[in-house]
Amino acid sequence: MVSLAYYAFTLTAGPSPVMMFYAAVLGTFFGADQTLGWQVVGITAAAGLFTSSLLLLPLIFAPYLPERRAVALAQNAVAVYQNRPDADAETRRSDRNDAYQAVNSAWLTLRSAWPAGRGRRHRELAAELMQVNRSLAATILGRLGTDAVIRPLTPDTPLLLGRPSWRFLIGHALRGNSVEWFTSWRMALAAGTAGTVSQLLGIGHPYWAILTATVVINQWMDRVAATRRAAHRTVGTLLGVGVVWAVSALHPSAWWSVAVVLVCMVGQYFALAMNYAFALLFITPMALLAVEASGTGGTVASLTFDRFTDTLIGAVTAVAVTWGTSWFFPRRLVGSQSARTAEAVAALQAVNRAEEQFGAEDRRARVELQYELTHHLSVLDRAVRDDPRLADLADEEHRLADEGYAALGRAWQARSMSVRGALERSVSR
């Protein structure tokens, strides 16, 4: 349920649901040693406060930096779409999707900027993003060949705000064939199986098997990609074990072990961008040397054996679950998401015909349709990679997406004759 909530409410990049397993590992310390458990809680809290302060420090010198960056990315994405009208249909569709995704992400960023949302600069950025959104809608309508008057922006124009309501997000995630539910129950199945196998075989640190299974399967990726990730995890861990043996042969003191752990923490972020297996050369020593330095994990031989064996168990389990479930569910996921997108398109089209001007229902329908469209083609792309037989659904799903983006564009039209005449008079002045 924790992972389901994570997928439901995390609409942009997040820390990954595997963090809940770290919390579970922390809880086991209380069963083994109350004193050690509270020490770990205190250290974690102090480290969290310290790192949070470091993350917020740049905002002192560069206020509104995340919001400015998000709006700039939206401007660039819309410009790319507008500047390539003669591209092929697939490129135009991809540019359009990227533009709407960037604009929606910028709205989400502005929405999450509390308490800075009350400042003048925030309001200026919101108005700037509204112009970008309006320009994107005008481009959509122009390419549809629609002769329409776009609503002007006025001081009382309400912000769009790109986050759906919590009821909508929960309802979306709890559907039987939602990506959120599919990913969560697969992750639970893989993690539970890996942990059980490790326990039955008497391997120490079974949470390493659970963690590996979760890391491999915590996102819906195709079978080949998941198998590759599992192989990288296994091979990288084996190489990392060799690094641990090399470092331990030098008999470092506790402080030198801490220094090596810090170097590994920094190194993994550079290595992850290059190759996952290479990153494990840093991740594995970081984990094992930290446990060894605490004096609670056992000998180097036992630690390295447990780490590699549990990693192998977790990786094999994750691959088995991925391949076992990818034959049946991708088509269901596409069908379910397609139905929700069609409902959202119909809802916005009904609002468009009602001639409301940025009313509450208008904004709600647009936000929900943007959310569904963002998921719509993502689900299709991942499903086709997982099961190439689903490629025959692409034309129909692309037509539905085109219809949805057209509805979003038409939401900016001045529909009634009285409004149209008023706008034309204001332009003539």
Side-chain angles (χ1 to χ4, degrees), residues 16-202:
S16 165
V18 299
M19 299 302 294
M20 66 182 179
F21 288 102
Y22 289 115
V25 170
L26 177 61
T28 62
F29 282 103
F30 287 94
D33 188 332
Q34 285 278 335
T35 302
L36 179 60
W38 283 113
Q39 288 177 351
V40 173
V41 170
I43 292 171
T44 302
L49 289 173
F50 178 67
T51 52
S52 297
S53 300
L54 290 179
L55 289 171
L56 294 174
L57 187 61
L59 296 180
I60 297 176
F61 305 99
Y64 303 104
L65 179 61
E67 297 96 310
R68 295 203 311 270
R69 182 185 295 118
V71 172
L73 289 174
Q75 289 174 326
N76 291 338
V78 172
V80 168
Y81 173 57
Q82 292 173 331
N83 294 334
R84 295 202 290 194
D86 298 326
D88 60 88
E90 183 62 31
T91 300
R92 291 198 307 272
R93 182 182 293 116
S94 177
D95 289 345
R96 178 202 60 195
N97 299 346
D98 291 344
Y100 262 107
Q101 176 64 30
V103 169
N104 196 46
S105 295
W107 283 120
L108 289 171
T109 302
L110 290 177
R111 173 74 178 268
S112 64
W114 185 90
R118 300 180 179 180
R120 178 182 59 83
R121 180 54 179 154
H122 184 276
R123 292 193 296 272
E124 291 173 350
L125 288 169
E128 187 176 344
L129 182 57
M130 187 74 84
Q131 288 282 14
V132 173
N133 206 158
R134 181 174 179 270
S135 175
L136 176 58
T139 304
I140 291 285
L141 293 174
R143 294 189 180 176
L144 290 171
T146 301
D147 182 17
V149 179
I150 299 295
R151 299 168 180 166
L153 299 182
T154 60
D156 61 343
T157 299
L159 301 183
L160 297 183
L161 302 180
R163 190 178 186 89
S165 69
W166 65 269
R167 289 186 180 87
F168 174 86
L169 294 173
I170 290 177
H172 191 282
L174 288 178
R175 289 179 299 120
N177 287 319
S178 71
V179 173
E180 295 90 343
W181 180 247
F182 173 68
T183 306
S184 295
W185 71 254
R186 284 210 315 176
M187 185 167 58
L189 176 61
T193 303
T196 300
V197 170
S198 179
Q199 288 275 29
L200 291 176
L201 293 178

Side-chain angles (χ1 to χ4, degrees), residues 96 100 140 341 344-346 348-349 352 369-370 373 398-410:
R96 178 202 60 195
Y100 262 107
I140 291 285
T341 302
V345 172
L348 183 56
Q349 288 174 335
N352 286 345
L369 178 54
Q370 284 185 166
L373 286 172
H398 283 309
R399 280 194 296 271
L400 178 58
D402 293 343
E403 187 178 352
Y405 284 114
L408 286 175
R410 292 191 178 98

Side-chain angles (χ1 to χ4, degrees), residues 235-245 277 280-282 284-285 288 304:
V235 173
T237 298
L238 180 61
L239 297 175
V241 164
V243 174
V244 173
W245 274 100
L280 267 297
L281 282 171
F282 298 92
T284 302
L288 295 186
T304 53

